[in-house]
Amino acid sequence: MRQIQLCAGNERTQVQLVAWPLGKDWLVVITNANGHVGAVAVGECDAESGRASSSVLTMAGHRDDLIAKPQAQALAKALRRRVVVVAGVHVEHPTTAEIEAIVANAATLVRELAHQLAGESGPRRQRASERGVEMV
């Protein structure tokens, strides 16, 4: 089974993305070195209107819905496919700036994944690194 791995950020704000196709749909896991299941979101895009929606389940005491829900919706809209995003990024006592950086890094990874899956032409590794994404 094809697997895509991407990484963005550094130290406490580093985030990893791993994605697998499930038929026409995609399963995406966004985590860090202390990964866990903090939230699970499903994104879906209406083929006719092009509008996307998402639903999320968040584990008690977790804020990973800040990543899972918007990224499931963004990826579903970009790919026009059903997408499941599992998010679990744990950082001890994060600052507001670190939380914002983690959320931004997750969004960067999802945009890069969408670029790759859309079959963007040209040298992907160069463009990915220019966007601050490491292909693992």
Side-chain angles (χ1 to χ4, degrees), residues 85-127:
V85 173
V86 177
V89 177
H90 180 78
V91 174
E92 286 291 328
H93 310 293
T95 65
T96 300
E98 286 174 326
I99 293 169
E100 290 170 354
I102 289 165
V103 171
N105 288 337
T108 296
L109 293 176
V110 166
R111 280 192 304 275
E112 178 61 28
L113 178 62
H115 281 293
Q116 289 189 25
L117 296 178
E120 190 174 276
S121 62
R124 288 184 183 159
R125 285 192 186 275
Q126 180 182 357
R127 278 201 306 277

Side-chain angles (χ1 to χ4, degrees), residues 47-59:
E48 266 185 47
S49 70
R51 284 181 276 177
S53 63
S54 59
S55 298
V56 65
L57 295 171
T58 307
M59 304 307 115

